[in-house]
Every structure is written in C-alpha cells, then in structure tokens.
Amino acid sequence: MRGVGWAAIGCLTVVAVWVSASSRGRARRRRVLGGQPERKEVRERARPGGAGGERGRRVALAIVAGLGAALLLGGGAGAGVGLLVAVGVHRWSARARSPTDRRTAREEELLILQLPLGAELLAACLGSADSPSAAVSAVGSSVDAPLGPRLVAIGAELALGAPPELCWDRLGKQHPALEPLARCLIRTSLSGAPAAGPLIGLAQGQRAAAARAAHTRVRRAGVLATAPLGLCFLPAFVLIGVVPVVVGLTSRFAEAM
C-alpha cells in the first residue's frame, strides 16, 4: 500500500510539473511575441482547444482518475481497477465535447433548419430586387439568427463590390450546413442563369431530407422504447411459462425412474 501511495504521489507530481511547464511555455510565447500575431502552427499548439493541449488534458485526467481508484482500493486489485478506470476516463473524455463544440454543433443544426426558408426567400427576392446585395440584405434582415446575420454580412460585402463567388464560397467553408446554398449561388453567379429555380429545388430537397431524417429518428425511438420492455418481459415469460413446465417434466421423469 505504501509503494502504491508513493507511486501515486510521483505520478501526480509529474502531471503537475507538466501542466505548470505548459502554462509557462504559453506565457513565454506570449511575452516573446509581444502582441504580434502568432504563426498558425504555434496557435494550434498554444490555443486552449489545440490538439496537443486537449490530448494532454485527457491523459492527465485519466492518470488522476486511475490513481485515485488505485489508492482507494489498494493492493493488486486496486491497481487493476485503476488501470481500467484510467482507460475508461480517457476514452470518455475523447468522446466528450467541449462547450464550444456543442455551441457550434447547435448552430449548424439551426442553420440546417433555416436553410429551406432562406433559400425560398432568396429565390423570391433575387428575382424582384434591384441588386443581389439588396436582396440578400433584405432576406438577412427578415430571418432570425444564426442565418440572418450571416446573410446581412454577405449583402454588405456585395454592396461594397466584393465578388459573389468569393463571398458565397467563404460562407460555405465557414458553415458546412450552408454549403449547398453556397454551391447553388456560385453556379448561378458564374453562369448568369436565374437563381430562383435552383434555390426552390434546393429548399424542396432540404425539406425532403429533413422529413426522411425525422422518420428515421421516429423508427429508432420506437425500437429503443420497446427494447426495455423486451428485457423486462422476457425473463418474466421464462420464469412463469418455461420454468414450471421444465420443473414439472423433470419431476415426472424422476418419479418414473
């Protein structure tokens, strides 16, 4: 038990030194840069959500959890349980999403829901407005966030003379949920064809895809709802219907013998 305790203290010391060195390294980089923009690779390593920092935090969390379980139980069994706890915590933390990732995913879901309405409004306004910038700005002003502010920004860029292809391409790269809309508007902008037809087709296709996804979720929910009932009723059926028959047949066979 004493050896396990000293090993735990040593590992915790290593983790603390690693975290402190990482923090000092980030502070030193900020001082050396003196407010200048960092290079891309340095930003990726130093930012809080960077790949290296995130991986290190997951490893540190797994080590601390494993050592805590090992100290709590003690002995060889505690070491085995601690190893299992460390592996489980590391895998769970790899799948867990940060608040920023959850906000981004929620924003993409809202953009997918708003895409059909935004495409139909753009189809109506692009055919009647004096300029594409005015049409895009009008649609952005009438649609809620998160789609509305992005369309307003695109309309302002178009009013300033920015190339439509670059504006829509950047929007599609920033938000994958809006990539179908961006591709549609890029094609119509390059070909000079009216955008009303492709935009209406895009809206109809998005609504059909949303309906199919909703039906799939409903079917999956039905399966998940019946699974616990099956797990409850199957043992009861075996105990009430099968076990008495087997016991009765066994008793009769024993009496006959």
Side-chain angles (χ1 to χ4, degrees):
M1 182 66 184
R2 183 177 300 175
V4 175
W6 282 111
I9 293 174
C11 291
L12 288 174
T13 304
V14 171
V15 172
V17 170
W18 176 81
V19 173
S20 177
S22 178
S23 301
R24 287 198 302 270
R26 287 195 294 269
R28 185 164 54 251
R29 280 194 295 269
R30 287 195 293 268
R31 288 195 301 268
V32 170
L33 289 170
Q36 298 297 324
E38 297 177 332
R39 292 178 300 172
K40 182 178 179 181
E41 59 270 21
V42 175
R43 287 199 305 268
E44 289 297 323
R45 290 194 300 267
R47 67 186 180 92
E54 186 67 25
R55 189 181 303 110
R57 281 190 291 271
R58 292 200 304 267
V59 172
L61 179 62
I63 291 175
V64 172
L67 290 176
L71 288 175
L72 182 63
L73 298 177
V81 172
L83 179 61
L84 293 177
V85 169
V87 173
V89 169
H90 185 267
R91 291 188 176 182
W92 171 83
S93 61
R95 285 193 292 265
R97 295 188 301 178
S98 64
T100 303
D101 294 336
R102 288 195 295 268
R103 285 195 298 269
T104 303
R106 178 57 182 167
E107 185 176 274
E108 293 296 319
E109 292 175 359
L110 292 176
L111 288 174
I112 292 175
L113 294 176
Q114 291 180 322
L115 180 56
L117 177 60
E120 289 179 346
L121 292 177
L122 283 173
C125 292
L126 286 174
S128 60
D130 296 335
S131 62
S133 60
V136 175
S137 299
V139 174
S141 301
S142 60
V143 177
D144 296 332
L147 180 59
R150 284 155 180 79
L151 292 180
V152 170
I154 294 294
E157 293 178 2
L158 294 177
L160 293 175
E165 299 83 7
L166 296 180
C167 296
W168 295 118
D169 181 66
R170 185 173 65 253
L171 181 66
K173 291 180 179 178
Q174 292 176 351
H175 303 284
L178 300 179
E179 189 174 358
L181 177 65
R183 288 199 304 266
C184 178
L185 291 172
I186 289 173
R187 286 196 301 266
T188 56
S189 177
L190 293 176
S191 62
L199 287 174
I200 292 176
L202 173 64
Q204 293 175 351
Q206 291 292 321
R207 284 199 174 94
R212 289 193 298 270
H215 287 305
T216 303
R217 288 194 298 268
V218 169
R219 290 194 296 269
R220 186 182 299 115
V223 173
L224 295 177
T226 56
L229 296 177
L231 293 176
C232 293
F233 282 112
L234 185 59
F237 170 75
V238 172
L239 292 175
I240 295 175
V242 178
V243 172
V245 174
V246 174
V247 172
L249 292 176
T250 305
S251 301
R252 291 183 181 180
F253 181 76
E255 291 175 357
M257 294 295 293

